[in-house]
């Protein structure tokens, strides 16, 4: 039922929740946007649920690979009006949950694609398609509940939603190992001048500002002057960020590390064939042949993707020598492969690793992945789940062990490097070792072959690019099936191998920038924005 000023129904509802009129802080000016807002706020239970799901789907079009940022200026006012009409905290939670469910189903459908590689896991596809969005929707539900407790009249309402949303995203990135995928701020990877803001406030901070600016037009349902001022302020904020970002991007576009030449190898081996017993040697030899293409004599670092060597390299000295034999004097091979305790030892331990191999085939250093993928690289609560036939979907029966965490590795002929394996690159502020000197570049190796020609690899590459802007460091990314690329410290792609193609990429290593504010202070800017949002919101009266 629509909310009507002065009606007995609205007077009764006011005992449990504010009317839209209170939330937008003004008398009803007549039909138009306020009429639309009132109809949305007054939707019944199931229509409210359906509208929230639909608005979430609309918001999902803003993240990579579509980058349809203007749609957020439709989705979040709609969510705001739905939450404004919530009659209880439970209603607000369910509304936020439904929005999140609609946002995550199209945004994360590609996760279920990994379950098509092995027929044993087909039965899990519906659970991945709907179950993961349902779980992640708890965090957007908490954002709705937070808004219900924080909401203020006028400008305070959109600011309350931005604060609640930002805190919910931060929790999603940290609770139960964290999964900060498709944060709202990643909308701006396709709009590089705006993305430069993460060098100061990080991706969580950019999400807060985005939700605030996108929700401020909801105040147009109240007094027109106030609504136009709020909307204009949001637009002006992002115009200022874009202007500053455009100025920042005028930095030296061609600065590189002298004497460092990279060769990235993208073999495009399907996941079904990658670990096939009769094709492992063939896959290894294919990458050796690709690596030896003309120009190898100029290469400083040869880089292969995650688990590119399809066997335990620490057990295969001949394979190490085969890698070394490719290299010119002074060069290194940085390759992804499993590592394990010596053959025959008990208990056997294994790690998902990066090896640095020199021309003699000697392993100079290794990095072990620390942030493992649940059910992909290990089975959480294995003792409880094993009786139900729950296994990890990757090859082998042994769970991977986690490494110690971010490391800076010094290698001859290269600047110090901070390695990341696969989705370790998605965690803001957790890609560098704070106990060691700042590295000169970041290396991300991954195997996105699990996800085929879906949006997942595009999103993964976009997220990794954001780490480069935050830290002010170039990022080199080698992927089995793509997307491989070299990204400078501003997030600009200097060279790329497209998804689903095989090839090599020869590129120079872009130079690092001075330490960014985010690299120095981490999420301090994000927490400051939350505090300012709370304080600014409290200026208006409580709705």
């Amino acid at each position: 039922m629509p909310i009507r000023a002065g009606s007995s129904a609205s007077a009764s509802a006011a005992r449990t929740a504010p009317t839209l009129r209170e939330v937008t802080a003004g008398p009803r000016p007549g039909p138009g946007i306020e009429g639309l807002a009132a109809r949305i706020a007054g939707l019944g239970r199931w229509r409210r649920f359906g509208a929230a799901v639909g608005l979430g789907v609309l918001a999902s079009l803003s993240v990579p690979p579509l980058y349809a940022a203007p749609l957020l200026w439709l989705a979040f006012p709609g969510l705001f009006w739905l939450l404004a009409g919530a009659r209880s905290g439970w209603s607000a939670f369910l509304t936020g949950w439904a929005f999140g469910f609609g946002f995550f189903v199209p945004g994360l459908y590609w996760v279920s694609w990994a379950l098509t590689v092995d027929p044993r896991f087909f039965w899990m596809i519906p659970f991945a398609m709907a179950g993961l969005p349902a779980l992640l929707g708890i965090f957007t539900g908490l954002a709705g509940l937070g808004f219900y407790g924080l909401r203020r009249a006028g400008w305070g309402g959109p600011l309350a939603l931005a604060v609640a949303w930002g805190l919910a995203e931060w929790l999603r990135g940290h609770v139960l190992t964290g999964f900060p995928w498709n944060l709202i701020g990643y909308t701006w990877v396709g709009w590089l001048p705006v993305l430069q803001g993460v060098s100061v406030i990080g991706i969580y901070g950019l999400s807060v500002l985005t939700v605030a600016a996108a929700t401020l037009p909801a105040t147009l349902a109240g007094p027109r002057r106030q609504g136009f001022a709020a909307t204009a302020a949001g637009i002006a904020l992002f115009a200022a960020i874009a202007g500053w970002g455009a100025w920042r991007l005028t930095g030296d576009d061609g600065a590189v590390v002298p004497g460092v030449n990279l060769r990235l190898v993208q073999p495009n081996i399907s996941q079904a064939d990658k670990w096939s017993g009769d094709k492992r040697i063939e896959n290894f030899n294919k990458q050796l042949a690709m690596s030896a293409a003309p120009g190898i004599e100029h290469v400083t670092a040869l880089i292969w993707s995650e688990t590119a060597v399809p066997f335990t390299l620490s057990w295969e000295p001949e394979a190490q020598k085969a890698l070394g034999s490719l290299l010119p004097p002074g060069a290194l091979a940085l390759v992804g492969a499993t590592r394990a305790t010596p053959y025959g030892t008990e208990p056997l331990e294994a790690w998902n690793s990066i090896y640095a191999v020199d021309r003699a085939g000697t392993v100079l250093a290794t990095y072990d992945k620390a942030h493992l993928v649940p059910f992909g690289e290990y089975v959480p609560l294995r003792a409880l789940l094993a009786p139900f036939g729950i296994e990890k979907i990757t090859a082998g029966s042994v769970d991977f062990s986690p490494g110690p965490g971010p490391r800076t590795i010094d290698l001859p002929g290269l600047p110090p490097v901070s390695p990341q394996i696969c989705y370790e690159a998605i965690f803001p502020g957790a890609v560098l070792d704070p106990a060691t000197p700042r590295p000169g570049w970041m290396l991300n190796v991954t195997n996105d072959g699990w996800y085929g020609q879906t949006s997942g690899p595009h999103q993964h590459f976009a997220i990794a690019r954001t780490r480069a802007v935050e830290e002010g460091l170039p990022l080199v990314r080698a992927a089995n099936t793509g997307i491989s690329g070299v990204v400078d410290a501003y997030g600009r792609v200097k060279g790329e191998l497209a998804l689903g193609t095989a090839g090599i990429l020869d590129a120079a290593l872009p130079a690092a920038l001075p330490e960014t504010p985010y690299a120095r202070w981490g999420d301090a800017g994000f927490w400051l924005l939350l505090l300012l949002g709370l304080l600014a919101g409290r200026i208006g009266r409580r709705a």
Side-chain angles (χ1 to χ4, degrees):
M1 182 179 68
I3 298 175
R4 302 291 186 186
S7 69
S8 60
S10 64
S12 175
R15 299 189 189 98
T16 56
T19 63
L20 181 69
R21 205 176 126 187
E22 289 178 307
V23 175
T24 54
R28 183 182 177 196
I33 192 169
E34 192 192 32
L36 172 65
R39 286 192 293 274
I40 292 174
L43 289 174
R45 181 181 304 171
W46 294 110
R47 290 183 178 180
R48 171 185 298 275
F49 184 89
V53 171
L55 289 169
V57 172
L58 186 67
S60 74
L61 302 179
S62 71
V63 297
L66 297 180
Y67 303 111
L71 295 181
L72 295 177
W73 271 253
L74 300 176
F76 276 99
L79 175 62
F80 175 84
W81 291 327
L82 285 174
L83 291 170
R87 304 295 180 89
S88 66
W90 178 243
S91 176
F93 174 85
L94 289 179
T95 300
W97 179 89
F99 183 92
F101 185 79
F103 179 77
F104 291 118
V105 167
L108 296 175
Y109 77 93
W110 50 268
V111 173
S112 61
W113 195 267
L115 302 172
T116 66
V117 174
D118 189 332
R120 293 178 301 159
F121 300 109
F122 281 4
W123 65 273
M124 297 175 65
I125 291 176
F127 296 95
M129 185 73 78
L132 181 59
L135 288 174
L136 296 177
I138 293 173
F139 293 99
T140 53
L142 291 174
L145 181 61
F147 168 79
Y148 184 81
L150 291 172
R151 55 187 168 173
R152 315 290 292 183
W155 292 43
L159 295 179
L161 181 56
V163 167
W165 186 277
L167 183 58
E169 282 199 341
W170 186 89
L171 288 172
R172 177 159 66 88
H174 292 79
V175 173
L176 296 177
T177 78
F179 190 61
W181 199 280
N182 280 359
L183 306 176
I184 288 296
Y186 288 125
T187 293
W188 302 109
V189 177
W191 308 64
L192 268 184
V194 177
L195 187 66
Q196 302 308 302
V198 302
S199 67
V200 179
I201 56 175
I203 191 64
Y204 292 119
L206 190 58
S207 284
V208 171
L209 293 184
T210 302
V211 173
T215 310
L216 282 170
T219 59
L220 289 168
R224 286 290 186 262
R225 180 176 296 179
Q226 180 176 334
F228 282 122
T231 302
I235 295 172
L237 171 65
F238 272 85
I241 294 174
W244 174 79
W247 169 81
R248 188 173 190 263
L249 287 170
T250 60
D252 186 359
D253 191 38
V256 298
V257 178
V260 175
N261 299 299
L262 310 173
R263 170 164 287 185
L264 281 61
V265 178
Q266 181 172 296
N268 195 35
I269 298 169
S270 74
Q271 191 59 39
D273 293 337
K274 184 176 175 66
W275 293 95
S276 175
D278 58 344
K279 293 186 177 180
R280 291 191 187 193
I281 300 302
E282 178 184 332
N283 293 339
F284 181 66
N285 289 335
K286 174 183 180 180
Q287 292 173 93
L288 288 176
M290 294 176 68
S291 301
I296 185 64
E297 65 275 10
H298 303 299
V299 169
T300 309
L302 174 68
I303 301 173
W304 288 13
S305 62
E306 177 189 14
T307 60
V309 179
F311 39 79
T312 303
L313 187 57
S314 57
W315 293 350
E316 304 292 344
E318 292 304 314
Q320 297 171 26
K321 292 178 180 178
L323 279 166
S325 68
L326 294 171
L327 303 173
L332 298 177
L334 305 176
V335 300
T338 57
R339 189 176 73 85
T341 49
Y343 188 79
T345 59
E346 293 292 342
L348 177 67
E349 284 192 89
W351 294 267
N352 186 356
S353 304
I354 296 173
Y355 290 72
V357 180
D358 68 9
R359 194 182 187 204
T362 303
V363 176
L364 300 183
T366 58
Y367 168 78
D368 301 324
K369 186 177 181 183
H371 214 128
L372 302 177
V373 179
F375 302 104
E377 293 168 312
Y378 75 103
V379 178
L381 305 174
R382 174 177 281 277
L384 295 177
L385 297 177
F388 299 98
I390 304 296
E391 305 175 44
K392 66 185 181 76
I393 66 172
T394 53
S397 59
V398 177
D399 284 352
F400 284 116
S401 298
R407 288 183 57 201
T408 299
I409 300 176
D410 283 309
L411 297 170
L414 296 171
V417 59
S418 178
Q420 304 136 26
I421 298 177
C422 193
Y423 92 144
E424 287 185 315
I426 76 171
F427 295 95
V431 292
L432 304 183
D433 182 358
T436 59
R438 176 176 163 84
W441 59 302
M442 297 183 290
L443 172 64
N444 177 222
V445 300
T446 188
N447 174 28
D448 283 344
W450 289 99
Y451 309 114
Q453 296 285 327
T454 65
S455 62
H458 294 278
Q459 294 171 3
H460 200 179
F461 186 51
I463 292 170
R465 286 174 64 189
T466 306
R467 301 289 84 78
V469 186
E470 284 175 341
E471 303 292 347
L473 294 174
L475 173 81
V476 177
R477 188 173 194 265
N480 168 28
T481 55
I483 304 168
S484 301
V486 175
V487 179
D488 74 6
Y490 297 99
R492 296 175 294 209
V493 180
K494 312 303 287 186
E496 179 180 344
L497 293 169
L499 179 64
T501 62
I504 59 173
L505 173 63
D506 291 343
L509 176 64
L513 294 176
E515 191 175 32
T516 64
Y518 181 81
R520 181 172 299 176
W521 294 305
D523 285 328
F526 161 71
W527 293 110
L528 179 61
L529 284 176
L530 291 192
L531 178 61
L532 292 176
L534 286 172
L535 293 177
R538 294 187 67 83
I539 293 174
R541 65 184 178 84
R542 182 171 177 80

